[in-house]
Amino acid sequence: MIHIIFFGPPGSGKGTQANYISEKFKFFHLSTGEMFRKHVIEQTLLGNIVQTYMSKGLLVPDEVTTNMFKEELNKHNNIKGLIYDGYPRTLNQAKNLDEILKKKFLEKINLSIFFSIKDEILIKRLSKRSKISGRLDDSSILIIQNRITEYHKKTKPISDFYKEKKCLITIKAEGSIYQVKKRLENVILKKLK
Ligand code: ADP
């Protein structure tokens, strides 16, 4: 089984690419953002808790996120590969994920792919997305800025964690969806060889 993390700033295209790649390689795609949005729509207890954070562009606390993530992961067995999209987003979560994989599969992360992109491009993409996605967290420039600040403060540091483990790969997330897709496919195919 192969474990691949997609991480990078909001708007870097992780979700779009995770959809393509999971379909192409028949991997399972786990997106914490999607899980949270589903809870919000269904107005579950968890949905009510996380909505306050998400609508402000803040990260949901680690414990809440990890509990939900573990519960979701436990529903899936006999899979060829997993794409982690949006988890881990903090150093604490990265350490938790290592523990979870060790316990559940006796395995570890094979690849952590960092989507590298300039902040100016993100702001443009997210403002454009807000017009079609209807997502609360895309709705104002202030919230978008918050998400980017949270990312630099809490998520970017996980790149050092994976660099030390020698599984970090950086890909350029600028350019067309097709170009990024090809870059990702090459990286993953090389790893599968
Ligand atoms: P994007 O990558 O565009 O920011 P996501 O759909 O991945 O969007 O996540 C949306 C929101 O869900 C985040 O801004 C955050 O509030 C919450 N979220 C998702 N994953 C995590 C996580 N691992 N830890 C904490 N909060 C998270």
Side-chain angles (χ1 to χ4, degrees):
M1 193 170 163
I2 185 160
H3 304 270
I4 305 174
I5 294 171
F6 280 9
F7 89 96
S12 56
K14 303 178 301 286
T16 307
Q17 296 295 343
N19 279 333
Y20 276 130
I21 297 293
S22 55
E23 198 171 315
K24 179 172 169 83
F25 292 94
K26 304 280 174 269
F27 295 157
F28 195 79
H29 173 196
L30 278 177
S31 158
T32 42
E34 287 299 323
M35 293 175 211
F36 282 140
R37 276 188 287 280
K38 195 160 173 269
H39 278 280
V40 171
I41 290 170
E42 290 171 1
Q43 298 186 323
T44 64
L45 192 64
L46 177 66
N48 292 337
I49 297 171
V50 301
Q51 189 168 21
T52 14
Y53 296 97
M54 291 174 83
S55 62
K56 292 185 189 131
L58 301 174
L59 290 186
V60 174
D62 283 341
E63 206 189 329
V64 178
T65 308
T66 299
N67 284 342
M68 177 193 65
F69 173 81
K70 265 206 243 162
E71 207 173 284
E72 188 63 32
L73 187 66
N74 279 334
K75 292 183 193 158
H76 308 283
N77 288 305
N78 298 325
I79 19 188
K80 218 173 102 183
L82 268 165
I83 304 226
Y84 304 93
D85 161 19
Y87 191 94
R89 256 187 161 102
T90 64
L91 200 54
N92 204 357
Q93 291 178 15
K95 291 178 185 163
N96 284 331
L97 181 59
D98 269 4
E99 283 297 309
I100 296 168
L101 296 192
K102 204 159 99 188
K103 262 201 203 141
K104 187 172 162 66
F105 306 106
L106 299 173
E107 287 177 342
K108 44 188 180 183
I109 294 297
N110 302 88
L111 259 186
S112 180
I113 305 179
F114 168 51
F115 285 55
S116 166
I117 184 164
K118 288 190 207 76
D119 282 358
E120 304 95 83
I121 302 181
L122 296 176
I123 295 171
K124 271 194 207 136
R125 282 191 189 176
L126 291 170
S127 311
K128 203 169 142 198
R129 183 167 87 182
S130 69
K131 300 197 182 85
I132 37 174
S133 73
R135 270 176 57 170
L136 279 178
D137 57 350
D138 286 341
S139 65
S140 86
I141 189 75
L142 215 80
I143 303 172
I144 292 176
Q145 289 285 8
N146 275 349
R147 286 162 63 202
I148 295 176
T149 307
E150 283 278 87
Y151 162 76
H152 283 296
K153 207 165 63 185
K154 297 176 181 165
T155 309
K156 185 67 203 358
I158 70 171
S159 62
D160 286 336
F161 179 81
Y162 292 111
K163 203 188 273 172
E164 272 170 33
K165 293 186 181 290
K166 311 227 180 311
C167 62
L168 180 79
I169 293 221
T170 301
I171 64 134
K172 207 171 117 197
E174 291 165 20
S176 70
I177 292 179
Y178 181 78
Q179 283 171 325
V180 180
K181 184 182 159 198
K182 286 290 152 199
R183 288 177 201 138
L184 276 168
E185 278 176 5
N186 288 339
V187 164
I188 295 170
L189 282 171
K190 217 166 130 192
K191 191 75 195 179
L192 288 174
K193 258 190 207 155

